[in-house]
Structure formats: structure tokens, C-alpha cells
Amino acid sequence: MALIVQKFGGTSVASVSHIEKVAKRVIATREKGYDVIVVVSAMGKETDRLDELAREVTPNPGQKAARELDVLLSTGEQVTIALLSMTLIKMGWQARSYTGSQVRILTDKVHSKARIIEIDGQNLNQDLAAGRIVVVAGFQGVDEHGNITTLGRGGSDTTAVAIAAVMKAEECQIYTDVKGVYTADPRMVEGARCLEKLTFEEMLELASLGSKVLHSRAVEFASRYQLPIRVLSSFNESPGTLITSEDDTEMEKPLISGIATTRDEAKLTVLGVPDIPGVASSILGPISTANIEVDMIVQNVAADNTTDFTFTVHRDDYDQTLEILTKVSESIGAREIRGDNKIAKLSLVGVGMRSHAGVASRMFAVLAAESINIQMISTSEIKISVVIAERYLELAARALHSEFDLNSVNQNG
Ligand code: ADP
Ligand code: ASP
Ligand code: MG
């Protein structure tokens, strides 16, 4: 029997009555003759609630008690798997729930952003063969020593896609609270349009640049295993967005597929460091030793042989990065350290950019017309990102959406 993996996010399982609707959808797929593995998130905003509880206990649980934070956060999904399995059983079907460690979703040991190394499909296969619906807790795994790990916020998508890949599913369906992947976050840009189709490459850029509709590691897995993902709504019957490999037969690629935005970053600037070899490494070395990921980097050369070095990190890492830089500032000969955690990043993404010049200048002209100052820029073949003040994010997203005509199917370059 062909297998379909279905993942339901927090809003889709927010209450017992929501869970009943999910169960009906799962059963409908089962009745069409598919084997089904369901992956679920914690109910509603449960993960946020658990995180806040931890912060009541200690100001920085992710640093000071990372192992324990994962033990806490993983409980959210455990509640949902049990409730959904009970509901399926009540409805007359055989179902069995699994935590990440019961499946044995083996991860590395990096708490709160663990990567999946291997999934043991044996139990799941046995259950499917026995006619059961299998319900797996998203977002969690176990390291080689049996410690519970979590995959990062939004990580249930990754659990679903990884299971689908290992179990050779026909498709992985991600059910969420919007109709699919839009040209921009529909909660920010009125008139954003739901896309019918996207390539893995474009979705990977959108996801890693902040479109939280899909976890970026989920897209990485799907692309690696060439596994189609469909993003669709839990609340209606629309076809959603299919994410798959680039279809060469398609007539024309849109110039811009979508706009991704994120408020998750913070900017740090080291002013007046000597412009000599090794400076970047002595600034970023201690940051990387602390396991902090650096995103954009800009370095300028000034006339007096000193340079200003600016980079961005995740906003959660801002305080720690500032602390590290302040400590090392004397040894690197810096004049001053400045930080700003009220920035946002906005990116235009589209494979059509490969064959069209001029997107960047149009983008910059729109921002200039709105008097929005660009603080940093980075580009790749299929994206342009800018860092701007957070307070201008919505304005910039709306203006660019309209400039590039993204609400129309026939947008042109
Ligand atoms: P779930 O709990 O189902 O995993 P998420 O909250 O993680 O749902 O992701 C869905 C949300 O992603 C939407 O409600 C929407 O606000 C946001 N979002 C951001 N960018 C996009 C986009 N380009 N298309 C669709 N949704 C987006
Ligand atoms: N419950 C986790 C979160 O809120 C994982 C997920 O829903 O994907 O981030
Ligand atoms: Mg999500």
C-alpha cells in the first residue's frame, strides 16, 4: 500500500474538537487506501507556554539547562500524540502513538537545534503492516546516550519530511493554518497570493530567510530525497502548494516567487579595528566557539587603516554575542562595539532572477521612495536580502509586493 505522511501544526490540533477534525481527515486518507503516518505538533501555543515556564525558573534556560529545556518542550507533542491516537481508536480505527525516542529518531546532541542522523523505521513498518495508523510526535528525537533532543522551533515539519523520506512515502502533506505557501506572509501583506507550485530551491531560500510556514531543514530533506511536499490548510479543501523539483517544461519562471521576512536577527558592529589580516577571524572565532551562528557580514575599509566590521546573529544570541565582543574588544584593538536588536531582514526570492538583471536596483528604488534606509545587503543567484529597521518591515514588504506585482499570476519582470 502506498504511504502518505501527514503533519498537523499547533493551530490544527489546538483543542480536542480540532483533534477530532484531524482524525477525520486522517481516516479519509486511510479509506482511500493509503497507509498513513501522522506527525503532530504541540497543541496551540503550548510550546510557547512551556518555554515561558522555563524562563520563569531561569533567565536563559537554553544556555544554562539546555538538556532540561528539551525534556520540558518535548512534552507538548507527547500530549497530542496520545489524544489523537485515542480519538482514532474511539472512531473505530487501530492507532498507536510514538514519541521520538520510541521510534528512535536518532539525532546529534545539540540541544534545541538537533539534527536528525537516522530514523529506525522498523516499529512503524510493523504497525502499518498490522493495519494501524501511526502517530508520531514531531520536533523531538533522542541522542546516542538516550537524552531527549528537540529540532528547533517549527521542527515538526522536519520530523514529518524525514519520516516520509525514510519510509519512502509518496508525498508528505503539511497541514497548517493558511492555504499554502504565499507570495509573502499573508498576515503581513494583504493581497499575498497562494502559490500553486514552488521549486525546492526557492522554498529552501524562503524558509531559511524567515518564511516560517516550513522549517528549512524539512525542505533540505525533501530536496535531498526528491520527496514532494504539499502545504495545505487544515481548515478547508483547497489544493495548497506543491513543492517539488524544477520543472523544465514550465513555460516561464516568475521573476520573484516570494518575499521572506524575519525579525529574528540582531546586528553587531565592531568599530575601528586595525585593517590587518586575521581581524575577521579574531572577531568571529570566539563567537563560533560559543556555537553562535553568524548570518550576514559586512566589512568596510576606512582611510585611516581601521575598519568597521558588522554582522548579524539570531536575536536570541544577541546578549551573549555582545558580552563576548565586549570581552574581546581590547585584544582586537576595537574602538567601540555597537549593537542593534531592532532590525529585520527582508528578502526577495525567485529563480527567474538568474536570467534577469535589475531586480536589486528596482528593490532599492522602492525602499528609497519609502525613505527606508538599507543597513546591509546580501545577494545570491536567486535572492536579494536587505537589513532594515524593524519598524519599516511591513511597509517595505507591502511596497515591494506591489512593485513586483506579486498579487498577479502574470507578474512580469
Ligand atoms: P504550524 O503551526 O501549522 O506549523 P506555523 O505558524 O509554523 O504553522 O506556519 C504557518 C504560518 O506561517 C502562517 O500562519 C503564516 O503567518 C506564516 N507565514 C510566513 N510566511 C508565509 C508564507 N510565505 N506563506 C504562508 N504562510 C507564511
Ligand atoms: N511545537 C514546536 C514549536 O512550536 C514544533 C512545531 O510545532 O513544529 O515550535
Ligand atoms: Mg510550523
Side-chain angles (χ1 to χ4, degrees):
M1 228 192 276
L3 170 71
I4 289 195
V5 174
Q6 300 185 317
K7 178 256 166 178
F8 295 87
T11 324
S12 311
V13 293
S15 67
V16 166
S17 69
H18 283 81
I19 290 176
E20 280 186 359
K21 289 202 183 92
V22 165
K24 285 185 187 148
R25 208 178 261 274
V26 170
I27 291 168
T29 310
R30 187 74 182 72
E31 281 174 337
K32 280 187 196 146
Y34 289 102
D35 277 338
V36 187
I37 297 180
V38 194
V39 173
V40 284
S41 291
M43 293 169 73
K45 301 234 172 285
E46 178 64 6
T47 313
D48 288 339
R49 189 187 72 87
L50 293 168
D51 194 51
E52 276 154 28
L53 275 181
R55 280 170 210 273
E56 267 180 46
V57 175
T58 173
N60 205 337
Q63 260 176 49
K64 298 197 174 113
R67 179 186 182 279
E68 309 318 320
L69 182 62
D70 276 357
V71 170
L72 178 70
L73 295 187
S74 67
T75 61
E77 273 70 12
Q78 189 166 340
V79 171
T80 324
I81 53 170
L83 291 176
L84 176 58
S85 302
M86 280 177 200
T87 309
L88 290 164
I89 292 166
K90 178 192 78 178
M91 292 179 175
W93 291 79
Q94 290 187 67
R96 185 174 274 183
S97 66
Y98 284 90
T99 63
S101 101
Q102 284 175 318
V103 174
R104 201 163 153 79
I105 298 179
L106 182 69
T107 71
D108 62 20
K109 40 181 171 229
V110 186
H111 287 290
S112 88
K113 41 187 165 196
R115 280 179 181 267
I116 297 176
I117 297 169
E118 199 178 75
I119 295 178
D120 185 347
Q122 208 184 333
N123 285 333
L124 310 185
N125 267 325
Q126 274 173 10
D127 281 320
L128 294 176
R132 295 187 189 109
I133 296 169
V134 176
V135 182
V136 179
F139 174 60
Q140 54 181 262
V142 64
D143 74 6
E144 58 178 331
H145 302 296
N147 298 302
I148 294 173
T149 54
T150 62
L151 310 181
R153 299 303 305 270
S156 296
D157 299 334
T158 300
T159 308
V161 177
I163 288 180
V166 168
M167 303 292 290
K168 303 203 175 4
E170 199 172 281
E171 188 173 282
C172 182
Q173 302 175 339
I174 306 285
Y175 286 90
T176 185
D177 56 3
V178 288
K179 274 195 203 156
V181 181
Y182 283 67
T183 47
D185 186 340
R187 297 184 203 287
M188 183 184 288
V189 178
E190 208 186 306
R193 178 170 53 88
C194 184
L195 296 158
E196 202 182 305
K197 218 171 172 188
L198 264 174
T199 65
F200 289 127
E201 203 184 2
E202 287 167 311
M203 190 64 233
L204 189 56
E205 287 284 6
L206 286 172
S208 51
L209 293 167
S211 298
K212 71 165 189 165
V213 63
L214 273 180
H215 197 232
S216 61
R217 292 217 182 119
V219 191
E220 268 172 45
F221 259 105
S223 166
R224 195 177 325 139
Y225 291 90
Q226 293 293 299
L227 175 91
I229 310 182
R230 192 176 286 279
V231 179
L232 58 185
S233 166
S234 281
F235 305 113
N236 62 46
E237 292 300 325
S238 63
T241 306
L242 182 67
I243 297 143
T244 179
S245 16
E246 203 160 328
D247 180 356
D248 295 327
T249 60
E250 221 171 282
M251 293 271 289
E252 204 171 328
K253 306 273 179 292
L255 182 61
I256 311 290
S257 297
I259 298 176
T261 52
T262 174
R263 300 169 198 272
D264 283 349
E265 295 196 21
K267 186 178 81 165
L268 295 112
T269 303
V270 187
L271 289 150
V273 280
D275 188 22
I276 49 168
V279 166
S281 134
S282 43
I283 294 173
L284 296 183
I287 312 284
S288 116
T289 309
N291 266 325
I292 295 172
E293 267 178 52
V294 171
D295 180 20
M296 286 161 111
I297 304 174
V298 174
Q299 181 183 322
N300 300 314
V301 181
D304 61 352
N305 287 332
T306 65
T307 183
D308 299 340
F309 190 93
T310 304
F311 60 96
T312 61
V313 295
H314 195 284
R315 207 176 268 193
D316 290 350
D317 294 327
Y318 176 70
D319 289 342
Q320 201 192 350
T321 310
L322 201 53
E323 215 173 279
I324 295 172
L325 284 183
T326 310
K327 267 191 210 141
V328 297
S329 74
E330 206 171 311
S331 67
I332 55 181
R335 193 175 65 237
E336 192 187 336
I337 310 284
R338 278 191 206 154
D340 183 355
N341 62 358
K342 297 271 181 296
I343 57 152
K345 185 165 75 173
L346 180 150
S347 313
L348 296 183
V349 174
V351 285
M353 270 189 228
R354 277 203 196 108
S355 48
H356 282 75
V359 175
S361 59
R362 255 171 96 185
M363 178 185 198
F364 303 158
V366 169
L367 297 175
E370 301 291 345
S371 303
I372 299 171
N373 187 36
I374 300 172
Q375 302 180 11
M376 293 172 92
I377 301 169
S378 96
T379 62
S380 81
E381 230 194 343
I382 65 163
K383 72 118 206 269
I384 303 169
S385 302
V386 292
V387 167
I388 56 176
E390 184 182 6
R391 63 183 179 282
Y392 296 129
L393 186 60
E394 277 94 354
L395 175 63
R398 289 179 195 139
L400 288 162
H401 200 271
S402 134
E403 163 68 19
F404 287 95
D405 223 0
L406 298 188
N407 53 354
S408 140
V409 185
N410 300 312
Q411 54 156 301
N412 59 67

